[in-house]
Amino acid sequence: MERNEIYKKLTEIFRDVLDNDEIILKETTSANDIDEWDSLAQIMLLAEIQKAYSIRFKSADTIRWKNVGEMVDTIITLI
């Protein structure tokens, strides 16, 4: 799966979970950039992303992520 395809799907998931159709994800996007992205939203996002890609994240991976680009890197290794 191409990186841009992952971004397209992630954008759909973020917009749905966070109820914000204006979200545009970039490599450097972090929780600091999206007001709705708090700790509860993080859990919901991770659950939806794992379901969408039929993958399981390790806690150690998710703790290290600094931005969406690092999340995408992990998704690529798991699919």
Side-chain angles (χ1 to χ4, degrees):
M1 178 172 279
E2 300 268 337
R3 199 168 184 84
N4 61 342
E5 292 175 281
I6 294 172
Y7 271 97
K8 183 178 178 182
K9 182 66 175 173
L10 283 181
T11 299
E12 292 172 12
I13 293 169
F14 271 71
R15 288 178 175 180
D16 184 49
V17 170
L18 302 178
D19 195 28
N20 180 343
D21 290 335
E22 296 180 14
I23 292 173
I24 299 171
L25 298 178
K26 301 179 288 186
E27 292 277 327
T28 58
T29 302
S30 71
N32 294 331
D33 301 317
I34 302 174
D35 291 336
E36 300 87 358
W37 189 355
D38 58 17
S39 56
L40 178 58
Q42 174 78 4
I43 294 167
M44 294 168 49
L45 286 166
L46 293 176
E48 288 301 315
I49 294 165
Q50 290 177 117
K51 186 181 351 172
Y53 289 101
S54 299
I55 58 175
R56 298 301 272 164
F57 295 124
K58 294 179 182 174
S59 295
D61 290 333
T62 63
I63 290 170
R64 279 187 286 235
W65 293 337
K66 291 180 180 53
N67 54 48
V68 173
E70 292 180 7
M71 179 189 294
V72 171
D73 291 340
T74 301
I75 292 169
I76 288 170
T77 65
L78 294 173
I79 56 174

